[in-house]
Amino acid sequence: MIKSKISELIGRTPLLELSVADGSATVLLKMEQFNPTGTAKIRMARNMVDEAEAAGLLAPGGRLVESTSGNTGLGLALIAAERGYKFTAVVDNHSSADKLRGMRAFGAEILNVAGDADGLATAERDTTAERLAAEHGAYWTAQHRNQGNPNGYRALARELHEDLGDGIDYLYGAVGTGGSLCGTGRFLRERIPELKVIGVEPVGSVVFGGEGAPYHQSGTGTPEGSEIGAVVDYEVFDQGVKASDAEAFETCRYLARNFGILIGGSAGGVVYKALEQARSAGPGSTIVVLVCDGGDKYLDTVFNDDWMAAHGLFDEQVTRRLAAMLR
């Protein structure tokens, strides 16, 4: 159990069974917050760098650049620190302060392209990252179109199959770049052909169509006007559903206060939609939820009463529905 590199601690994250209401399907949370950096995206960050090194795209002491909402940046910052690369994260004001502080702690350079503007600036982030890479001879990991992203989740799929065999009926996950769910779902379906893969995005995101609108869930979805990345593979999905900010954040808060489970904002939306499925699927079915990060990065937002109230995100109806779906 003694490792020599922090990246060797990636993976083998635990499964946690939720206490669902009688007559519901089994709901298992894949707790990716137990990876280094507290997020699943460390898996694909490492793999994108591995594949770039193998292809001769990274020289010793070189520079990495990425456009990120935070978790991919945290993963790349850790890998860069471990392997001796420089790393520049291009961000906007959708990133939580804790994610930015984390990247700086690993020695990353932060470039915020949004000025004082709130919300996502995905297109501007990507354009800036591409320009910086060209100007400085850096490697832009370009997570939205880099197949090293979904390839990085082969191990996650393998872990699930080793732990649960063929007994997985549904796989739920958030869809941002699409890497974690598309990668895990594609590789897991090779072993479980009947597996149903359900993607969850915020209300206001346009991955699965619908009208675009602002949303507060970070690290997930695609805002109107931004390109849907090539990593999003629609053939993997059996269904795409949307979770409101209130559904996502009230779920996070309910799990924390009633079960001591602290998960990230977008993961709350995925859990909420999985619980709805559990009621209709009934006993005998198993739902696995990819919980891509923990709640410790959202203490100033999702778990802050003043912030929730200021944005009108409290919803007693959601809380009542959660009480009915959970024991």
Side-chain angles (χ1 to χ4, degrees):
M1 293 299 294
I2 298 175
K3 308 295 183 182
S4 59
K5 294 181 179 179
I6 191 70
S7 62
E8 293 173 352
L9 300 178
I10 297 170
R12 292 311 320 171
T13 53
L15 285 161
L16 178 68
E17 183 175 355
L18 281 183
S19 297
V20 296
D22 293 341
S24 299
T26 298
V27 177
L28 303 176
L29 308 184
K30 181 64 167 168
M31 303 293 279
E32 287 290 283
Q33 66 202 78
F34 288 94
N35 281 305
T37 71
T39 168
K41 291 193 174 182
I42 186 70
R43 294 180 185 263
M44 64 92 149
R46 176 178 64 177
N47 192 67
M48 289 193 299
V49 174
D50 285 346
E51 292 192 10
E53 289 175 342
L57 300 174
L58 268 171
R63 180 179 292 275
L64 297 162
V65 175
E66 183 55 282
S67 160
T68 175
S69 291
N71 280 335
T72 300
L74 279 169
L76 288 169
L78 183 151
I79 297 301
E82 184 182 83
R83 301 190 186 182
Y85 298 120
K86 301 177 183 67
F87 172 55
T88 300
V90 184
V91 305
D92 55 29
N93 293 321
H94 220 239
S95 300
S96 77
D98 283 331
K99 292 177 185 177
L100 299 178
R101 286 192 286 262
M103 285 187 273
R104 288 193 180 97
F106 290 123
E109 175 186 69
I110 307 294
L111 177 60
N112 190 322
V113 298
D116 295 328
D118 290 331
L120 285 162
T122 307
E124 187 175 357
R125 285 195 338 233
D126 289 350
T127 299
T128 302
E130 185 173 25
R131 176 178 57 78
L132 285 175
E135 289 176 355
H136 299 285
Y139 177 63
W140 178 28
T141 45
Q143 59 176 315
H144 287 84
R145 64 182 188 223
N146 188 332
Q147 289 304 310
N149 174 351
N151 291 344
Y153 294 98
R154 289 179 183 271
L156 198 163
R158 187 165 54 248
E159 289 169 25
L160 288 173
H161 193 255
E162 288 173 355
D163 288 341
L164 301 170
D166 295 343
I168 308 173
D169 299 289
Y170 298 88
L171 179 68
Y172 271 71
V175 179
T177 66
S180 60
L181 185 59
C182 291
T184 306
R186 183 185 304 121
F187 302 128
L188 195 55
R189 196 177 271 150
E190 292 174 1
R191 296 169 170 82
I192 312 173
E194 300 306 313
L195 176 73
K196 293 180 175 60
V197 179
I198 315 297
V200 183
E201 67 174 335
V203 171
S205 170
V206 297
V207 175
F208 298 117
E211 263 188 58
Y215 55 88
H216 294 287
Q217 295 170 65
S218 67
T220 186
T222 299
E224 190 171 39
S226 295
E227 180 183 356
I228 297 171
V231 168
V232 175
D233 183 354
Y234 287 100
E235 292 187 3
V236 173
F237 303 120
D238 291 279
Q239 188 180 3
V241 298
K242 296 176 185 283
S244 70
D245 287 339
E247 289 170 339
F249 300 160
E250 288 283 28
T251 301
C252 294
R253 294 166 64 90
Y254 192 90
L255 291 178
R257 294 184 178 189
N258 292 277
F259 300 95
I261 301 170
L262 198 68
I263 64 174
S266 63
V270 183
V271 172
Y272 185 83
K273 291 300 173 182
L275 288 171
E276 288 185 332
Q277 180 69 61
R279 299 184 81 178
S280 58
S285 295
T286 296
I287 300 169
V288 171
V289 178
L290 302 182
V291 175
C292 282
D293 72 347
D296 55 305
K297 303 180 186 75
Y298 307 90
L299 299 178
D300 292 332
T301 53
V302 175
F303 298 99
N304 182 313
D305 291 354
D306 293 338
W307 184 88
M308 288 284 291
H311 292 88
L313 294 172
F314 285 117
D315 190 329
E316 291 183 7
Q317 288 187 343
V318 173
T319 303
R320 285 195 291 270
R321 289 195 289 268
L322 288 164
M325 292 190 288
L326 291 162
R327 284 191 286 114

